[in-house]
Amino acid sequence: MVATVERRYAPAFHPVHALLVGGALSLILGTLLSDIAYARTYEIQWINFAAWLNAGGLVLAAIALVCSLFGLAPSRRTRGTVLHCVLWLVAWILAFLNALVHARDAWASMPMGLVLSVLVFATALVATFFAAWPLRTGGVR
């Protein structure tokens, strides 16, 4: 009898999780773009947009983080699930710090708000990549 390695493919995301991650990533990107617009124009309304987009991204990212915890179950775990969960948690913490920076005066929120927005978007993008890694680690049969 020859032992074979079973490779099972599963959907990368649950549809609800994909919707939440995509929505949060879009709002985080909007925060970054609003910060860039403020850095170029010094129009205070862009900081207001960034603060509201970041708040919405925090809400969706928190719900997506809870959904990513369900992916840690042994029957659903993939190679990137743990990394996705940890990176999504790091992105949420950075986004929370970004919300605190954006709560300050518009002049006081730069350049730290822009730096945090870049870090949040990069971390969330890498976390999304690890969630989309569909190959499960199969055992020997």
Side-chain angles (χ1 to χ4, degrees), residues 21 24-25 28 84 87-88 91 118-129:
V21 168
L25 197 60
I28 291 168
H84 167 70
L87 286 173
W88 203 249
V118 169
L119 289 175
V120 170
F121 181 70
T123 307
L125 193 63
V126 172
T128 304
F129 167 76

Side-chain angles (χ1 to χ4, degrees), residues 43-69:
E43 182 66 39
I44 294 175
Q45 190 63 30
W46 287 113
I47 287 294
N48 295 334
F49 290 154
W52 280 104
L53 289 167
N54 193 32
L58 273 171
V59 170
L60 286 181
I63 300 169
L65 184 61
V66 170
C67 286
S68 72
L69 291 175

Side-chain angles (χ1 to χ4, degrees), residues 60-98:
L60 286 181
I63 300 169
L65 184 61
V66 170
C67 286
S68 72
L69 291 175
F70 291 124
L72 295 178
S75 64
R76 295 178 177 262
R77 188 175 304 148
T78 64
R79 288 186 282 183
T81 307
V82 175
L83 283 172
H84 167 70
C85 189
V86 169
L87 286 173
W88 203 249
L89 177 64
V90 168
W92 191 89
I93 291 170
L94 288 173
F96 182 73
L97 293 174
N98 198 13

